[in-house]
Every structure is written in C-alpha cells, then in structure tokens.
Amino acid sequence: MLRAAAATTAGFLPPRLAAETAPAVRVVTAAGAEVRSSPLLRVLGVPRGGAGIGSATPGRRMCFGSDSDSSGSAVDSDSDASSAAGAGEEESEGNRSSSAVAPAIVRPEDCHTVIAMPLPHQPLFPGFFMAMSVKDPKLLKALVENHKRSFPYAGAFLVKNEEDTDSNTVTCSDSKKIIHDLKGKELLKRLHEIGTLAKITSIQGDQVLLLGHCRLRITEMVEEDPLTVKVDHLKVSKRLMLTLELVKRELEITKLQQSIAKAIEEKITGEQRRYLLNEQLKAIKKELGLETDDKTALSEKFRKRIESRKEKCPSHVLQVIEEELTKLQLLEASSSEFGVTSNYLDWLTVLPWGDYSDENFDVHRAQRILDEDHYGLIDVKERILEFIAVGKLRGSSQGKIICLCGPPGVGKTSIGRSVARALNRKFYRFSVGGLSDIAEIKGHRRTYVGAMPGKMVQCLKSVGTSNPLVLIDEIDKLGRGYSGDPASALLELLDPEQNANFLDHYLDVPIDLSKVLFVCTANVIEMIPGPLLDRMEIITIAGYITDEKMHIARGYLEKNTREACGIMLEQVEVKDSALLALIENYCREAGVRNLQKQIEKVYRKIALQLVRQGVSNEPAREITLVEPSEQPTGVSIAREVENESQSHSLAEDVSVHVTPTDISCEKINVVSLTTKSEVDHYEHPKGASKETSADDKATLTNTSGKIETNEGTEEVMEALVDKTVEKVVVDASNLDNFVGKAVFQPERIYDQTPVGVVMGLAWNAMGGSTLYIETAKVEDGEKKGALVVTGQLGDVMKESAQIAHTVCRSVLHEKEPNNSFFTKSKLHLHVPAGATPKDGPSAGCTMVTSMLSLAMGKLVKKDLAMTGEVTLTGRILPIGGVKEKTIAARRSGIKTIIFPAANRRDFDELAPNVKEGLEVHFVDKYSEIYDLAFPSDSQA
C-alpha cells in the first residue's frame, strides 16, 4: 500500500522528493530485528516511533484520502510496524524460528463486523480525530486486542436522546452513567443506525483516539457484550457530485475574487507609480526653475489678476488680499483651510474692482432700439426715454430703482434687456420668486461647507463690469422662511443710500453697488412690501390692444415662428382675419405669450400637412441617375436644371413626381451607361471629381425646354416628376382646424342692452374685460322692497350693491316723485358669469344705472359702458385700471365710456392709438351719468 501511495505522490512532488518516495520495504530478521525504510513518511513529516501516534491531536484534519489502507496507515504505519515487530519477537521467543512474516493489514472496506462504540454527545465525521474515554473494561479490552491483531477499527455511533429527556438538561456524567448501564439489545436500540467507521490510532489507559473513516449502517447484532454488529458500507457518490458542484462554484468565486483583487492591485500600483513619477517630475522641474509648486502658482495667479486693477481697487480690499496671500503660503496644500482660503482669494481677485462700461445716453438711439424690440407701449417707452434723458444731464443713471409692473406676457423682461442695450450696459437677470433664504442675497458665511457669495457678487463676476443692469424678476413673489426675510435683505441692496457699501457675508468686504442700475418686475404691486415699494419708481405696463397685437403677430411672432418651423413664405399664407380671430377668440390676455403659443400650434399643423404631401425643404443637392443601356453611347447629359425661385426638394419615395419648375436640386445628371465597367468607371473615376466636366456640359441641350433622355431613362425621370403642392391658406373659416374650438365667446351679448341691463368695465389679471349687470323684479307688493345679489360677488361688491340700491331710491324720488317702484318691488341683481369670482367698488355707478333702467322702464344708450365707485350722496370716486378697461371697451366695440373725473389724467396719458375713436365722459356726480345714460327717446 505504501508503494502505491509513494507512486501516486511522486507524480506531483519535486524530483528530489520524488526520489525519496520509493516503496518502503519492511523485513523482520531471524533475530527479530526490523529493518524499515519509509521515505514517504519522512516527506509527510510522520515520525518513525510511536510518539507520532500519541501526539495526534483530536480534531486534526487528514491531509489525504482515507479510502485506501495506505492513507490510513500513513498516520500510524510506525505503530502498526511496532505491533507487528512485537508479535514477531514473541513468536521468536517461543518458537525461535529462523524467519517471520508480518501479519496482513485489514483494509477498511473489508470491515463488515465491528465493535459498536457509543458516542454520547456528537458524531464523528470522516477525516476528523476524536478522543473519548472508555469506562467499560470489556469494551476497552476488546479494542486493545483488535488494535494488537492489526484490526484497529471500530464503529462509532451517536446515542439517541430519550423521548422523555431533554438533552439540554442532562449532564455529561448522567449521560455516561446511563450509557454504561446499557448492554446488548438495549444499547443497540439507543444507537443511531448510521455511524462512522473509526480507526483506533492510539490507546493510552482508558483514553482512545479515533479517526473517522467512512459511513456505516448497522444491519444486525452479532454479540451483546461488548456490542458487536454487522455493518454495510455506505457509498458517499451522490454526495460527492453535490460536493463537487459546490467546490466548483467556490472555485469560480475564488478565481473571480483573485482576478478582481489582481486588477485592483495593478490599478493601485499603477496609480502609485504614476503619482510617484509626477512628484519626481515636479521636483525636477522645480529644481530647474521650469515649474513652481501649487501654492506659488496660485499666489502668482492671484497677484497677476489684481495687478491690472491695483490702482482702481479699494485699499481695504488690497489689504485683505495681501493678508490672505500671506496666509496661503503658510498653509499646507492638503489642509481644508487651504481650499477655503484659495476659493476666497479667487472670488476677491476675479471681481471687476473699478471697471465700468461706457454708458450711452443717446435718446434717439434708445428710441430706435425700443421700437425695434417692442411695438406699441408708447407711454412706457416715453417714461424710459425720460429716465435716460435725466441720466444724460446728470452724467449717470444710478440712483433710481425702476419697477415694471404688468400682467404676464407684456414684455417686462425684454424691456429691461432693451434698456440695457440702449444704455450699453451688461445685462444680468435673476429671479427672486419663491426665494426664502437670505443667503441668496447676502451670501453664506465662509465657515460653512460649500459656502458661496450672494447673487450680486456672482453677477459682478459674470458680467465683468461694476455697472451692469440687473433685472430682479418676480419681486412680488418673494418668500419668507426660517432662513430670514429676503425682502428685508433687498432693502440694503436697492437703497441708493446704502448699496454704496453693500456687505456680502462671504466676501466680508464692502462692495460699491451704487453704479448698478436695478430694474424689477412684478405682476401686482400690492404684493410688494411697503418699505421695498417705497424705493422704486413704478412704470405700469397695462398690455396691448387688438391693433398692437395684430402688428406684433404679423411683424414678429408669425415671421419668427415660420422660420423656426422651416416653412417657406410661398408655402403658406396666414390671413389677417385668422390672426384677428385668434386674438379675439383665443388670446384675450393682456400679453402676447399665449398668442405666440397659438401661432406656433398653427405652424406645426401646417408643417405636418406639408410633409404629408411630400414637401421637404432640405438644402439643394446634386442627383445623378445612372442606368445601364444597350446603346453604345457612353455618357449623355440631358439637361442641367436650376431653379432659384422654387425650393421644393425631391422626395425620398420614388413614386413622387417632380416637374422641372418644382425641383430644388441644383443639378440632375442623367447618365446612360452601356456596360458594368462603364458604370464602375463613372461611379469611381480615377483622378476625376464627381461634378460634370466642361466637355460634358457642352453637350447640354436646351432647345425644346424638356429634359432629353434616351428611352432607358424616361421611366426613371417619370418617377421623379412630382405633383405641385398647393399653398396652405389659413383664414377665419378654417382656423378651428388648426387650434380647435374658440376658448372665449364674444363678451358683448346684446347689440342693444334691454331694460335693467347695463355694461360695466372691470380689471383682472389678464388685463381688462367687460361685464353686464342685470336687474330683474322678483316680487311686487306693499313693503316688499328688498334686494338679492348673485354672481359670486365679494364683500366689497355686495356693499356697493346695497349703496346703489339706496342711491336709486334717492334718484328716482328726484326724477319721478310718484314712482314707488323700490318701495313695493323685491329686486334680484346678478353679475354674469356666475362661476367667476368678482369683487371691487368700481361697479357702483353701473348698478345704480341698471336698477333705474328697470324702475323707469328706459333703455340705456347704445354702445355705452361705464365704471366708477358711487357714494351714498351720489358722488363718483376714482378707480384703477383705466388703460385695461379702455382696451376691453374697444375690444367689445363700445363707442362711449364714462369715467370718474378724477381719472382724466390717467386717460390723457394713454397712447393715442388706445384713445382713438372713443367718446369719453368724465363725471363727478351720478346726475351727470343719468343724463348720459338715459336720453329723452330711450323709453322702452
């Protein structure tokens, strides 16, 4: 067996060790001396004497297989040899024979009858050692005899737990005592059927050292004391296959882990090598004077930045920069403070200290720029030109904070940009809508991680000058949170008396912002905090009238949208009726943003319609038709077609037909080729370009006005002849095909308002609108005089209705003393539309007129609208939104408007095109309205 093991081992041992693993030969001489030579045991580190057996440690794993005798005897070959030698000596003493033969060693697979050893606590697994104490003298004696007879095997079986006992409560001594008392069949019943074939490696006193070999199953009992049983060996194959799969899986995982670890190690090693080389290169360059270290390079960069502005830079800023540069040289580049200091110096040195752009106060140039960028808004442009004129006389335009107030889409932001262009100032915009952190205005403290300066410092860095025009958008939507009140922070920024020494928390040095021109935008000035509003000069942008929207749509929006969609002018025609219907029925708001969206929607539909018809406005390209021909002619150029007026290109589909007048290609070369070689020569000429040569162009014919081709190319040309695409025309009749149904219905319901109905004027977020106030009699009887109001009226408007009811009684008593209508009638006043909330005092005079019309049975003058707050004594108080209400009246076709006398100045400031064609009356008392609203012939 040792010979087989040595032969197996020699296959994977080094040559020197393999030479030592020759088969061991054991010879017993006549004198009883034993000659042993065991190189394999020396290689495996097993001592020759019996001490190797006694030194075995429980739990030690075998280093090789245990399914052969050589594997088992490798551990105790010396002890077996000693036992055999001992037996030989006894025999030599008794018989004095001249020779002796060593007894045969039993193989494990030949062990079918074994002594059963009970294991009280844990099983013995194959390949593991276990030391146990044997107290039964018969069992110990049998084990010793077997060990001496070279049958060092026994069966180790785990003891079962009794049904009425708990293994956790039974002590070790009690368990051993119970097992020692059991014999024969009782012991057999307490043992598990499956056990382990164990090799007895050594016996010292009652201590037996066992080595697990393989699994066994008890078949029958042979002897009761000591318990001896017959066993069957269980073959461990299915388990081996499962184990093999697990081992393969673990092997793949191990290989993957090794590859990953190797890749990481190589990467780390490469980065370390690269870092080391870079550091060495830096050191060499530094010694040669070719490069400086990071700190020196940063310091030089900061000094170069500030050197050009040193004379303009304030002294306190220069002092801070020098202190920070000195501090930077003392810090380590790897410290966090180094990064904070370098960032701080970067911001300090990049700001445009003392750099200003030259302002242009040319009023005529500013007028031209404003007219180019915006149509209409005459009153707004006049205010801006006044501001620029004052700046020219003063020499500077600082000191004023302009606030452009108006509904969305009227061009507030673009006006600010135009003012910046007119003044030759850099433009910077930032929005404060929803802003709730004061640090966005004043900056963060440098102690915070990720600290940054405020918006104004970022603005100066971005524009590169100290006098930009800064547009603060949505200033009426400022927020307020736990981080402070931004509105209060803006006070220091926008106050001309304070912003000359504006202090940013990050820079911590005063900054002069007095040369900055601030322009703010807002939708509603009532939402702006009072102290902030007090520092602003308000310029109201009410919106655009219909005529202005028509000019803007035709001159700006429609043209830009058509070009953006890639549509040619000759391919589409949008008539004025379509634009007018679009403005009146879809885009009634004061601005033109929604009008632009609707025009874009129209042109997207047009683009889809043109593409479906086969139109493609791609750049012109040369098309060459190549076809094999039986005719011997080599190359014949039919005609060069050039069409500059039409831009329709050839469609990709061969079924599309294109006439010569519809072809946008610069050249079409029709080529007839006889053989494939000619085709190849034409497609890939040597040293020739793809364009037609001069000789070929000389063969162009233009006598008949048609493309001359041979018979083989006529069919190809027919496939390229396209039908002419008709121009798309958009007018009021087919507008709904492009933008859907109308959003708004005409505000004017009556051509002549009936009795009890009067048109009023209102202001809303979209600009202005007209509304009707209707009054009807509900009930008639003595002492039934009362008033009911509907239409989602607010508290102020409900009070106005009650006041109007009282004023009506007074006016009716004055005009018709015998008329007791209001004493006997219960009235119902309604303001459509009922789903729209309404509030405000300006409908008072309209309500009085509506009730009087019903009480006297008189019609109100045709095409009349009015607005104004009325008091109990009949006085008419001023209202707001004069321009918006005037625009709404013009949109509804109103020709006569009644305004309070206090609003005469507001009306006079309107642009002439807004006031054109209107008859406007200004009144102080309601008696004047009565004379205007009820002519003598207005009896119903």
Side-chain angles (χ1 to χ4, degrees):
M1 304 306 292
L2 290 175
R3 185 179 295 108
T8 304
T9 309
F12 56 84
L13 290 177
R16 182 178 61 83
L17 296 179
E20 298 179 1
T21 58
V25 180
R26 181 171 58 191
V27 179
V28 181
T29 62
E34 181 179 6
V35 179
R36 294 193 297 258
S37 177
S38 180
L40 176 61
L41 298 181
R42 292 198 301 271
V43 171
L44 298 177
V46 181
R48 294 179 178 273
I53 298 174
S55 62
T57 304
R60 179 181 175 186
R61 185 74 178 179
M62 294 296 292
C63 297
F64 44 86
S66 60
D67 56 348
S68 64
D69 182 67
S70 61
S71 63
S73 62
V75 179
D76 60 343
S77 59
D78 290 337
S79 62
D80 293 340
S82 302
S83 301
E89 290 176 358
E90 293 176 358
E91 184 178 358
S92 62
E93 290 177 0
N95 300 328
R96 298 295 183 181
S97 61
S98 60
S99 64
V101 180
I105 299 176
V106 180
R107 296 182 302 171
E109 55 268 22
D110 295 335
C111 300
H112 297 289
T113 302
V114 295
I115 300 174
M117 299 181 61
L119 301 178
H121 301 296
Q122 60 185 9
L124 175 62
F125 294 101
F128 285 85
F129 287 96
M130 176 181 286
M132 62 178 298
S133 176
V134 180
K135 300 299 182 182
D136 189 353
K138 289 186 178 181
L139 178 59
L140 182 60
K141 182 178 180 182
L143 293 175
V144 172
E145 289 178 356
N146 287 349
H147 187 262
K148 289 181 178 180
R149 290 202 308 266
S150 298
F151 189 80
Y153 293 100
F157 301 92
L158 184 65
V159 178
K160 300 178 182 178
N161 291 329
E162 293 183 353
E163 296 181 358
D164 55 348
T165 59
D166 187 1
S167 59
N168 296 326
T169 59
V170 178
T171 61
C172 181
S173 60
D174 294 340
S175 176
K176 291 181 179 179
K177 183 177 181 182
I178 293 173
I179 294 173
H180 293 326
D181 294 340
L182 298 178
K183 303 293 182 182
K185 293 183 179 180
E186 295 181 357
L187 178 60
L188 182 62
K189 291 180 181 179
R190 290 291 307 278
L191 298 179
H192 281 280
E193 185 182 6
I194 305 298
T196 306
L197 178 64
K199 184 174 182 180
I200 305 170
T201 58
S202 66
I203 300 177
Q204 295 181 359
D206 60 351
Q207 296 293 323
V208 180
L209 184 63
L210 303 177
L211 173 63
H213 194 277
C214 61
R215 294 199 306 156
L216 300 174
R217 175 184 284 120
I218 299 175
T219 57
E220 60 177 312
M221 183 177 68
V222 177
E223 186 177 348
E224 294 187 358
D225 194 15
L227 180 61
T228 305
V229 295
K230 287 187 177 181
V231 295
D232 287 340
H233 292 261
L234 299 179
K235 300 297 183 181
V236 292
S237 58
K238 184 182 291 187
R239 291 193 175 190
L240 281 177
M241 296 303 297
L242 295 176
T243 304
L244 181 60
E245 293 180 1
L246 292 176
V247 171
K248 287 182 178 179
R249 189 181 305 170
E250 292 295 329
L251 181 61
E252 293 298 328
I253 293 174
T254 303
K255 289 182 179 179
L256 180 61
Q257 291 176 346
Q258 290 178 351
S259 62
I260 294 175
K262 184 178 179 181
I264 294 175
E265 183 179 358
E266 291 178 354
K267 183 178 179 180
I268 294 176
T269 304
E271 291 180 354
Q272 291 176 345
R273 180 173 177 272
R274 191 178 299 108
Y275 175 77
L276 180 61
L277 293 176
N278 285 333
E279 291 298 322
Q280 292 177 352
L281 181 62
K282 289 180 181 179
I284 293 173
K285 288 184 176 180
K286 184 177 180 180
E287 290 295 331
L288 295 176
L290 301 177
E291 187 176 301
T292 58
D293 57 1
D294 294 339
K295 292 193 293 185
T296 306
L298 282 175
S299 299
E300 291 180 358
K301 181 180 73 171
F302 296 146
R303 291 185 184 278
K304 287 181 180 178
R305 280 183 184 176
I306 204 64
E307 190 66 28
S308 59
R309 308 189 188 102
K310 201 166 187 179
E311 297 180 356
K312 303 176 183 178
C313 186
S315 59
H316 62 276
V317 177
L318 290 175
Q319 181 179 357
V320 173
I321 292 176
E322 290 296 334
E323 292 176 356
E324 293 296 323
L325 285 173
T326 304
K327 178 182 176 181
L328 186 69
Q329 292 295 328
L330 301 177
L331 294 174
E332 291 293 334
S334 58
S335 64
S336 59
E337 186 68 18
F338 182 85
V340 173
T341 305
S342 61
N343 289 336
Y344 180 52
L345 281 169
D346 186 37
W347 280 102
L348 276 178
T349 56
V350 80
L351 293 182
W353 302 103
D355 290 344
Y356 301 97
S357 58
D358 296 332
E359 288 188 282
N360 191 331
F361 295 105
D362 188 351
V363 177
H364 301 288
R365 177 176 177 270
Q367 177 77 54
R368 185 174 65 254
I369 291 176
L370 292 174
D371 290 339
E372 288 176 359
D373 296 344
H374 301 85
Y375 182 84
L377 302 178
I378 297 177
D379 51 345
V380 177
K381 294 178 182 177
E382 193 70 18
R383 293 286 297 276
I384 294 175
L385 293 176
E386 292 172 1
F387 172 79
I388 295 176
V390 172
K392 181 173 181 62
L393 296 178
R394 291 184 54 192
S396 64
S397 58
Q398 72 271 12
K400 290 292 183 181
I401 311 299
I402 301 176
C403 181
L404 302 174
C405 179
V410 296
K412 299 184 294 294
T413 304
S414 58
I415 288 176
R417 187 178 288 106
S418 300
V419 172
R421 189 157 69 96
L423 292 174
N424 194 30
R425 287 194 178 210
K426 295 295 183 65
F427 179 78
Y428 185 84
R429 171 193 171 273
F430 72 93
S431 176
V432 294
L435 186 67
S436 60
D437 190 0
I438 191 177
E440 292 292 329
I441 307 297
K442 299 278 289 182
H444 302 85
R445 302 288 182 183
R446 292 200 305 274
T447 55
Y448 296 118
V449 177
M452 289 186 63
K455 285 293 185 182
M456 279 311 304
V457 177
Q458 298 178 33
C459 162
L460 297 179
K461 177 184 178 182
S462 177
V463 299
T465 61
S466 297
N467 61 338
L469 186 146
V470 179
L471 181 73
I472 305 177
D473 218 349
E474 310 293 348
I475 199 170
D476 59 329
K477 301 176 181 62
L478 277 171
R480 184 171 185 176
Y482 67 92
S483 299
D485 183 13
S488 301
L490 284 175
L491 293 177
E492 180 186 0
L493 179 65
L494 299 181
D495 192 347
E497 301 297 330
Q498 301 182 43
N499 59 15
N501 294 301
F502 178 76
L503 186 64
D504 185 88
H505 290 162
Y506 183 86
L507 294 184
D508 203 23
V509 292
I511 306 174
D512 184 10
L513 300 179
S514 59
K515 303 297 189 298
V516 178
L517 177 59
F518 292 98
V519 177
C520 306
T521 66
N523 297 126
V524 183
I525 60 175
E526 288 78 13
M527 300 297 295
I528 304 175
L532 198 58
L533 184 63
D534 183 60
R535 289 164 169 79
M536 300 178 182
E537 182 178 352
I538 306 298
I539 298 180
T540 303
I541 306 176
Y544 301 98
I545 61 176
T546 302
D547 294 340
E548 293 174 341
K549 287 186 177 181
M550 279 291 295
H551 282 87
I552 294 171
R554 180 63 71 188
Y556 297 90
L557 304 181
E558 193 259 347
K559 176 182 177 182
N560 296 337
T561 305
R562 184 180 67 247
E563 294 176 354
C565 293
I567 300 175
M568 303 297 177
L569 180 62
E570 59 272 8
Q571 293 175 339
V572 65
E573 180 182 359
V574 180
K575 294 190 175 181
D576 291 343
S577 60
L579 292 177
L580 181 61
L582 199 63
I583 294 170
E584 294 290 343
N585 301 330
Y586 297 86
C587 310
R588 286 186 180 177
E589 65 280 347
V592 294
R593 184 174 294 140
N594 190 40
L595 179 60
Q596 181 180 3
K597 294 179 182 177
Q598 296 297 331
I599 293 176
E600 290 174 353
K601 188 175 182 180
V602 171
Y603 271 95
R604 286 197 301 268
K605 296 282 187 181
I606 295 174
L608 179 60
Q609 185 174 342
L610 291 175
V611 172
R612 283 176 174 173
Q613 294 179 7
V615 176
S616 178
N617 297 331
E618 296 179 352
R621 64 178 185 271
E622 180 179 337
I623 296 179
T624 303
L625 304 179
V626 181
E627 178 186 4
S629 175
E630 296 180 357
Q631 298 180 3
T633 57
V635 178
S636 61
I637 307 299
R639 185 182 179 187
E640 180 179 0
V641 181
E642 297 183 358
N643 188 1
E644 299 180 356
S645 62
Q646 298 290 338
S647 300
H648 300 166
S649 66
L650 292 177
E652 298 294 337
D653 192 350
V654 296
S655 65
V656 177
H657 302 284
V658 181
T659 61
T661 58
D662 292 330
I663 298 176
S664 63
C665 303
E666 294 181 355
K667 299 178 182 178
I668 294 183
N669 300 331
V670 181
V671 183
S672 295
L673 302 178
T674 304
T675 62
K676 183 177 183 300
S677 61
E678 293 180 353
V679 175
D680 296 337
H681 177 74
Y682 183 80
E683 291 181 350
H684 307 286
K686 294 183 179 180
S689 64
K690 295 183 180 179
E691 297 182 356
T692 307
S693 62
D695 295 336
D696 292 336
K697 289 184 178 180
T699 64
L700 294 175
T701 61
N702 194 19
T703 58
S704 62
K706 298 182 180 179
I707 300 180
E708 298 180 0
T709 63
N710 52 36
E711 296 180 357
T713 60
E714 288 181 357
E715 296 180 358
V716 179
M717 289 303 302
E718 289 179 359
L720 294 175
V721 179
D722 189 8
K723 58 184 178 181
T724 305
V725 178
E726 296 182 357
K727 178 184 292 186
V728 179
V729 179
V730 182
D731 54 15
S733 61
N734 63 351
L735 181 63
D736 56 350
N737 296 333
F738 296 92
V739 292
K741 295 183 179 180
V743 178
F744 299 100
Q745 299 300 326
E747 291 181 351
R748 186 165 184 175
I749 304 175
Y750 309 102
D751 184 43
Q752 168 64 59
T753 56
V755 172
V757 180
V758 182
M759 178 180 285
L761 299 175
W763 177 92
N764 54 33
M766 298 177 63
S769 64
T770 59
L771 52 83
Y772 288 95
I773 294 182
E774 305 172 343
T775 306
K777 183 171 69 173
V778 179
E779 190 176 356
D780 195 3
E782 292 294 333
K783 298 182 180 180
K784 293 290 185 179
L787 178 65
V788 178
V789 294
T790 57
Q792 284 210 50
L793 306 184
D795 294 337
V796 176
M797 206 164 183
K798 290 178 181 178
E799 292 179 356
S800 296
Q802 295 295 333
I803 295 172
H805 191 245
T806 303
V807 173
C808 286
R809 290 171 178 264
S810 175
V811 174
L812 185 62
H813 179 71
E814 179 184 349
K815 300 296 181 181
E816 298 180 3
N818 298 326
N819 192 338
S820 60
F821 177 82
F822 291 106
T823 306
K824 299 179 180 180
S825 302
K826 181 179 180 181
L827 305 180
H828 182 185
L829 186 145
H830 177 67
V831 184
T836 305
K838 311 167 192 70
D839 202 3
S842 62
C845 63
T846 313
M847 291 178 177
V848 174
T849 307
S850 175
M851 295 180 193
L852 287 176
S853 173
L854 180 64
M856 297 183 299
K858 292 184 178 181
L859 296 174
V860 178
K861 181 180 178 181
K862 187 179 179 181
D863 298 333
L864 173 68
M866 62 185 69
T867 179
E869 180 181 358
V870 66
T871 66
L872 286 174
T873 59
R875 305 292 296 183
I876 305 301
L877 301 182
I879 47 86
V882 173
K883 181 176 180 180
E884 290 87 349
K885 293 178 179 180
T886 305
I887 293 173
R890 288 179 58 91
R891 184 170 60 239
S892 298
I894 298 299
K895 297 192 172 63
T896 305
I897 304 177
I898 298 177
F899 279 128
N903 292 111
R904 181 186 295 272
R905 181 178 178 182
D906 298 330
F907 184 83
D908 292 340
E909 291 180 351
L910 297 181
N913 59 342
V914 178
K915 300 182 291 185
E916 184 180 1
L918 292 176
E919 179 184 351
V920 182
H921 300 274
F922 300 95
V923 297
D924 285 324
K925 298 179 293 184
Y926 184 78
S927 58
E928 300 176 25
I929 297 179
Y930 182 88
D931 296 336
L932 294 170
F934 300 107
S936 59
D937 57 347
S938 62
Q939 188 72 25

